[in-house]
PDB file of all heavy atoms in Angstrom:
ATOM      1  N   LEU B 165      -7.724 -10.563  16.129  1.00  0.00           N
ATOM      2  CA  LEU B 165      -6.733 -11.645  16.056  1.00  0.00           C
ATOM      3  C   LEU B 165      -6.706 -12.212  14.643  1.00  0.00           C
ATOM      4  O   LEU B 165      -7.665 -12.050  13.886  1.00  0.00           O
ATOM      5  CB  LEU B 165      -7.126 -12.763  17.029  1.00  0.00           C
ATOM      6  CG  LEU B 165      -6.957 -12.495  18.524  1.00  0.00           C
ATOM      7  CD1 LEU B 165      -7.498 -13.682  19.317  1.00  0.00           C
ATOM      8  CD2 LEU B 165      -5.477 -12.265  18.850  1.00  0.00           C
ATOM      9  N   PRO B 166      -5.626 -12.901  14.284  1.00  0.00           N
ATOM     10  CA  PRO B 166      -5.615 -13.591  12.992  1.00  0.00           C
ATOM     11  C   PRO B 166      -6.795 -14.561  12.916  1.00  0.00           C
ATOM     12  O   PRO B 166      -7.183 -15.146  13.940  1.00  0.00           O
ATOM     13  CB  PRO B 166      -4.295 -14.361  13.026  1.00  0.00           C
ATOM     14  CG  PRO B 166      -3.438 -13.613  13.989  1.00  0.00           C
ATOM     15  CD  PRO B 166      -4.370 -13.056  15.018  1.00  0.00           C
ATOM     16  N   ASN B 167      -7.363 -14.688  11.753  1.00  0.00           N
ATOM     17  CA  ASN B 167      -8.467 -15.622  11.507  1.00  0.00           C
ATOM     18  C   ASN B 167      -9.793 -15.220  12.163  1.00  0.00           C
ATOM     19  O   ASN B 167     -10.740 -15.997  12.177  1.00  0.00           O
ATOM     20  CB  ASN B 167      -8.073 -17.039  11.964  1.00  0.00           C
ATOM     21  CG  ASN B 167      -8.521 -18.081  10.964  1.00  0.00           C
ATOM     22  OD1 ASN B 167      -8.516 -17.825   9.759  1.00  0.00           O
ATOM     23  ND2 ASN B 167      -8.939 -19.238  11.435  1.00  0.00           N
ATOM     24  N   ALA B 168      -9.881 -14.007  12.718  1.00  0.00           N
ATOM     25  CA  ALA B 168     -11.109 -13.589  13.412  1.00  0.00           C
ATOM     26  C   ALA B 168     -12.264 -13.386  12.446  1.00  0.00           C
ATOM     27  O   ALA B 168     -13.439 -13.462  12.833  1.00  0.00           O
ATOM     28  CB  ALA B 168     -10.840 -12.301  14.186  1.00  0.00           C
ATOM     29  N   GLY B 169     -11.979 -13.133  11.193  1.00  0.00           N
ATOM     30  CA  GLY B 169     -13.045 -12.914  10.222  1.00  0.00           C
ATOM     31  C   GLY B 169     -13.084 -11.499   9.681  1.00  0.00           C
ATOM     32  O   GLY B 169     -14.093 -11.039   9.137  1.00  0.00           O
ATOM     33  N   LYS B 170     -11.960 -10.788   9.765  1.00  0.00           N
ATOM     34  CA  LYS B 170     -11.908  -9.393   9.326  1.00  0.00           C
ATOM     35  C   LYS B 170     -12.104  -9.263   7.813  1.00  0.00           C
ATOM     36  O   LYS B 170     -12.924  -8.484   7.342  1.00  0.00           O
ATOM     37  CB  LYS B 170     -10.550  -8.773   9.722  1.00  0.00           C
ATOM     38  CG  LYS B 170     -10.292  -8.789  11.215  1.00  0.00           C
ATOM     39  CD  LYS B 170      -8.917  -8.238  11.593  1.00  0.00           C
ATOM     40  CE  LYS B 170      -7.747  -9.082  11.109  1.00  0.00           C
ATOM     41  NZ  LYS B 170      -7.674 -10.442  11.663  1.00  0.00           N
ATOM     42  N   SER B 171     -11.322 -10.044   7.067  1.00  0.00           N
ATOM     43  CA  SER B 171     -11.408  -9.937   5.606  1.00  0.00           C
ATOM     44  C   SER B 171     -12.784 -10.355   5.098  1.00  0.00           C
ATOM     45  O   SER B 171     -13.317  -9.765   4.150  1.00  0.00           O
ATOM     46  CB  SER B 171     -10.341 -10.810   4.949  1.00  0.00           C
ATOM     47  OG  SER B 171      -9.068 -10.420   5.390  1.00  0.00           O
ATOM     48  N   THR B 172     -13.353 -11.358   5.720  1.00  0.00           N
ATOM     49  CA  THR B 172     -14.667 -11.836   5.290  1.00  0.00           C
ATOM     50  C   THR B 172     -15.720 -10.744   5.512  1.00  0.00           C
ATOM     51  O   THR B 172     -16.610 -10.540   4.691  1.00  0.00           O
ATOM     52  CB  THR B 172     -15.046 -13.119   6.055  1.00  0.00           C
ATOM     53  OG1 THR B 172     -13.915 -13.991   6.058  1.00  0.00           O
ATOM     54  CG2 THR B 172     -16.225 -13.809   5.416  1.00  0.00           C
ATOM     55  N   PRO B 182     -10.983  -9.201  -0.830  1.00  0.00           N
ATOM     56  CA  PRO B 182      -9.758  -9.639  -0.159  1.00  0.00           C
ATOM     57  C   PRO B 182      -9.620 -11.148  -0.176  1.00  0.00           C
ATOM     58  O   PRO B 182     -10.599 -11.866  -0.406  1.00  0.00           O
ATOM     59  CB  PRO B 182      -9.974  -9.152   1.277  1.00  0.00           C
ATOM     60  CG  PRO B 182     -11.455  -9.143   1.448  1.00  0.00           C
ATOM     61  CD  PRO B 182     -12.046  -8.814   0.101  1.00  0.00           C
ATOM     62  N   LYS B 183      -8.419 -11.602   0.048  1.00  0.00           N
ATOM     63  CA  LYS B 183      -8.174 -13.043   0.142  1.00  0.00           C
ATOM     64  C   LYS B 183      -8.680 -13.524   1.507  1.00  0.00           C
ATOM     65  O   LYS B 183      -8.421 -12.893   2.529  1.00  0.00           O
ATOM     66  CB  LYS B 183      -6.672 -13.291   0.020  1.00  0.00           C
ATOM     67  CG  LYS B 183      -6.317 -14.753  -0.061  1.00  0.00           C
ATOM     68  CD  LYS B 183      -4.829 -14.923  -0.315  1.00  0.00           C
ATOM     69  CE  LYS B 183      -4.471 -16.395  -0.202  1.00  0.00           C
ATOM     70  NZ  LYS B 183      -3.036 -16.594  -0.012  1.00  0.00           N
ATOM     71  N   ILE B 184      -9.415 -14.626   1.474  1.00  0.00           N
ATOM     72  CA  ILE B 184      -9.992 -15.163   2.705  1.00  0.00           C
ATOM     73  C   ILE B 184      -9.584 -16.624   2.816  1.00  0.00           C
ATOM     74  O   ILE B 184      -9.665 -17.371   1.845  1.00  0.00           O
ATOM     75  CB  ILE B 184     -11.536 -15.075   2.659  1.00  0.00           C
ATOM     76  CG1 ILE B 184     -11.957 -13.600   2.686  1.00  0.00           C
ATOM     77  CG2 ILE B 184     -12.163 -15.852   3.810  1.00  0.00           C
ATOM     78  CD1 ILE B 184     -13.384 -13.369   2.300  1.00  0.00           C
ATOM     79  N   ALA B 185      -9.132 -17.053   3.986  1.00  0.00           N
ATOM     80  CA  ALA B 185      -8.804 -18.473   4.147  1.00  0.00           C
ATOM     81  C   ALA B 185      -8.837 -18.833   5.618  1.00  0.00           C
ATOM     82  O   ALA B 185      -8.705 -17.961   6.484  1.00  0.00           O
ATOM     83  CB  ALA B 185      -7.427 -18.767   3.570  1.00  0.00           C
ATOM     84  N   ASN B 186      -9.014 -20.116   5.844  1.00  0.00           N
ATOM     85  CA  ASN B 186      -9.140 -20.558   7.219  1.00  0.00           C
ATOM     86  C   ASN B 186      -7.780 -20.828   7.862  1.00  0.00           C
ATOM     87  O   ASN B 186      -7.526 -21.907   8.345  1.00  0.00           O
ATOM     88  CB  ASN B 186     -10.027 -21.801   7.280  1.00  0.00           C
ATOM     89  CG  ASN B 186     -10.497 -22.087   8.706  1.00  0.00           C
ATOM     90  OD1 ASN B 186     -10.345 -21.227   9.571  1.00  0.00           O
ATOM     91  ND2 ASN B 186     -11.026 -23.257   8.941  1.00  0.00           N
ATOM     92  N   TYR B 187      -6.911 -19.855   7.811  1.00  0.00           N
ATOM     93  CA  TYR B 187      -5.648 -19.949   8.560  1.00  0.00           C
ATOM     94  C   TYR B 187      -5.204 -18.532   8.899  1.00  0.00           C
ATOM     95  O   TYR B 187      -5.621 -17.577   8.228  1.00  0.00           O
ATOM     96  CB  TYR B 187      -4.575 -20.708   7.760  1.00  0.00           C
ATOM     97  CG  TYR B 187      -4.321 -20.201   6.371  1.00  0.00           C
ATOM     98  CD1 TYR B 187      -3.525 -19.073   6.150  1.00  0.00           C
ATOM     99  CD2 TYR B 187      -4.890 -20.843   5.266  1.00  0.00           C
ATOM    100  CE1 TYR B 187      -3.299 -18.614   4.862  1.00  0.00           C
ATOM    101  CE2 TYR B 187      -4.661 -20.383   3.984  1.00  0.00           C
ATOM    102  CZ  TYR B 187      -3.859 -19.269   3.789  1.00  0.00           C
ATOM    103  OH  TYR B 187      -3.632 -18.820   2.517  1.00  0.00           O
ATOM    104  N   PRO B 188      -4.380 -18.396   9.938  1.00  0.00           N
ATOM    105  CA  PRO B 188      -3.960 -17.053  10.344  1.00  0.00           C
ATOM    106  C   PRO B 188      -3.037 -16.401   9.311  1.00  0.00           C
ATOM    107  O   PRO B 188      -2.413 -17.107   8.521  1.00  0.00           O
ATOM    108  CB  PRO B 188      -3.196 -17.295  11.651  1.00  0.00           C
ATOM    109  CG  PRO B 188      -3.424 -18.709  12.027  1.00  0.00           C
ATOM    110  CD  PRO B 188      -3.832 -19.440  10.805  1.00  0.00           C
ATOM    111  N   PHE B 189      -2.979 -15.093   9.348  1.00  0.00           N
ATOM    112  CA  PHE B 189      -2.111 -14.300   8.467  1.00  0.00           C
ATOM    113  C   PHE B 189      -2.399 -14.494   6.979  1.00  0.00           C
ATOM    114  O   PHE B 189      -1.490 -14.622   6.172  1.00  0.00           O
ATOM    115  CB  PHE B 189      -0.619 -14.585   8.765  1.00  0.00           C
ATOM    116  CG  PHE B 189      -0.251 -14.284  10.175  1.00  0.00           C
ATOM    117  CD1 PHE B 189       0.230 -15.271  11.025  1.00  0.00           C
ATOM    118  CD2 PHE B 189      -0.425 -12.987  10.675  1.00  0.00           C
ATOM    119  CE1 PHE B 189       0.546 -14.985  12.339  1.00  0.00           C
ATOM    120  CE2 PHE B 189      -0.104 -12.707  11.990  1.00  0.00           C
ATOM    121  CZ  PHE B 189       0.376 -13.704  12.822  1.00  0.00           C
ATOM    122  N   THR B 190      -3.660 -14.559   6.675  1.00  0.00           N
ATOM    123  CA  THR B 190      -4.046 -14.596   5.266  1.00  0.00           C
ATOM    124  C   THR B 190      -3.786 -13.208   4.671  1.00  0.00           C
ATOM    125  O   THR B 190      -3.304 -13.067   3.554  1.00  0.00           O
ATOM    126  CB  THR B 190      -5.542 -14.929   5.120  1.00  0.00           C
ATOM    127  OG1 THR B 190      -5.827 -16.041   5.943  1.00  0.00           O
ATOM    128  CG2 THR B 190      -5.896 -15.223   3.686  1.00  0.00           C
ATOM    129  N   THR B 191      -4.157 -12.200   5.462  1.00  0.00           N
ATOM    130  CA  THR B 191      -3.990 -10.824   4.993  1.00  0.00           C
ATOM    131  C   THR B 191      -2.592 -10.348   5.347  1.00  0.00           C
ATOM    132  O   THR B 191      -2.207 -10.375   6.504  1.00  0.00           O
ATOM    133  CB  THR B 191      -5.043  -9.917   5.664  1.00  0.00           C
ATOM    134  OG1 THR B 191      -6.324 -10.463   5.375  1.00  0.00           O
ATOM    135  CG2 THR B 191      -4.954  -8.496   5.160  1.00  0.00           C
ATOM    136  N   LEU B 192      -1.837  -9.930   4.313  1.00  0.00           N
ATOM    137  CA  LEU B 192      -0.450  -9.526   4.560  1.00  0.00           C
ATOM    138  C   LEU B 192      -0.240  -8.028   4.431  1.00  0.00           C
ATOM    139  O   LEU B 192       0.752  -7.498   4.892  1.00  0.00           O
ATOM    140  CB  LEU B 192       0.480 -10.276   3.608  1.00  0.00           C
ATOM    141  CG  LEU B 192       0.478 -11.790   3.836  1.00  0.00           C
ATOM    142  CD1 LEU B 192       1.284 -12.498   2.768  1.00  0.00           C
ATOM    143  CD2 LEU B 192       1.015 -12.135   5.225  1.00  0.00           C
ATOM    144  N   LEU B 211      -6.976  -5.016   7.855  1.00  0.00           N
ATOM    145  CA  LEU B 211      -5.586  -4.992   8.318  1.00  0.00           C
ATOM    146  C   LEU B 211      -5.172  -6.384   8.738  1.00  0.00           C
ATOM    147  O   LEU B 211      -5.997  -7.190   9.154  1.00  0.00           O
ATOM    148  CB  LEU B 211      -5.468  -4.023   9.501  1.00  0.00           C
ATOM    149  CG  LEU B 211      -5.858  -2.591   9.158  1.00  0.00           C
ATOM    150  CD1 LEU B 211      -6.166  -1.790  10.405  1.00  0.00           C
ATOM    151  CD2 LEU B 211      -4.743  -1.917   8.376  1.00  0.00           C
ATOM    152  N   PRO B 212      -3.893  -6.670   8.657  1.00  0.00           N
ATOM    153  CA  PRO B 212      -3.429  -7.996   9.069  1.00  0.00           C
ATOM    154  C   PRO B 212      -3.715  -8.225  10.551  1.00  0.00           C
ATOM    155  O   PRO B 212      -3.741  -7.286  11.348  1.00  0.00           O
ATOM    156  CB  PRO B 212      -1.920  -7.929   8.811  1.00  0.00           C
ATOM    157  CG  PRO B 212      -1.755  -6.852   7.810  1.00  0.00           C
ATOM    158  CD  PRO B 212      -2.810  -5.849   8.128  1.00  0.00           C
ATOM    159  N   GLY B 213      -3.931  -9.482  10.918  1.00  0.00           N
ATOM    160  CA  GLY B 213      -4.216  -9.809  12.308  1.00  0.00           C
ATOM    161  C   GLY B 213      -3.036  -9.491  13.204  1.00  0.00           C
ATOM    162  O   GLY B 213      -1.889  -9.485  12.769  1.00  0.00           O
ATOM    163  N   VAL B 215      -0.893 -10.216  16.850  1.00  0.00           N
ATOM    164  CA  VAL B 215      -0.644 -11.267  17.834  1.00  0.00           C
ATOM    165  C   VAL B 215       0.023 -10.646  19.055  1.00  0.00           C
ATOM    166  O   VAL B 215       0.440  -9.487  19.027  1.00  0.00           O
ATOM    167  CB  VAL B 215       0.288 -12.373  17.268  1.00  0.00           C
ATOM    168  CG1 VAL B 215      -0.398 -13.131  16.157  1.00  0.00           C
ATOM    169  CG2 VAL B 215       1.616 -11.779  16.789  1.00  0.00           C
ATOM    170  N   LEU B 224       3.227  -9.571  12.290  1.00  0.00           N
ATOM    171  CA  LEU B 224       3.523  -8.635  11.213  1.00  0.00           C
ATOM    172  C   LEU B 224       3.899  -7.266  11.773  1.00  0.00           C
ATOM    173  O   LEU B 224       4.219  -6.350  11.045  1.00  0.00           O
ATOM    174  CB  LEU B 224       2.348  -8.571  10.245  1.00  0.00           C
ATOM    175  CG  LEU B 224       2.140  -9.930   9.554  1.00  0.00           C
ATOM    176  CD1 LEU B 224       0.787 -10.017   8.895  1.00  0.00           C
ATOM    177  CD2 LEU B 224       3.234 -10.212   8.542  1.00  0.00           C
ATOM    178  N   ASP B 243     -13.929 -13.378  17.154  1.00  0.00           N
ATOM    179  CA  ASP B 243     -14.546 -14.628  16.673  1.00  0.00           C
ATOM    180  C   ASP B 243     -15.477 -15.171  17.766  1.00  0.00           C
ATOM    181  O   ASP B 243     -15.035 -15.408  18.894  1.00  0.00           O
ATOM    182  CB  ASP B 243     -13.412 -15.628  16.377  1.00  0.00           C
ATOM    183  CG  ASP B 243     -13.921 -16.908  15.720  1.00  0.00           C
ATOM    184  OD1 ASP B 243     -15.112 -17.244  15.894  1.00  0.00           O
ATOM    185  OD2 ASP B 243     -13.101 -17.560  15.039  1.00  0.00           O
ATOM    186  N   LYS B 278     -19.090 -14.186  12.907  1.00  0.00           N
ATOM    187  CA  LYS B 278     -19.348 -15.604  12.570  1.00  0.00           C
ATOM    188  C   LYS B 278     -20.566 -16.124  13.335  1.00  0.00           C
ATOM    189  O   LYS B 278     -20.631 -17.319  13.686  1.00  0.00           O
ATOM    190  CB  LYS B 278     -18.120 -16.489  12.848  1.00  0.00           C
ATOM    191  CG  LYS B 278     -16.816 -16.005  12.223  1.00  0.00           C
ATOM    192  CD  LYS B 278     -15.715 -17.054  12.310  1.00  0.00           C
ATOM    193  CE  LYS B 278     -14.352 -16.470  11.961  1.00  0.00           C
ATOM    194  NZ  LYS B 278     -13.244 -17.409  12.091  1.00  0.00           N
TER     195      LYS B 278
END
Side-chain angles (χ1 to χ4, degrees):
L165 288 176
N167 222 35
K170 300 177 294 297
S171 302
T172 314
K183 187 175 172 198
I184 293 165
N186 195 13
Y187 53 79
F189 301 119
T190 312
T191 304
L192 296 173
L211 300 161
V215 293
L224 296 164
D243 187 336
K278 308 191 192 177

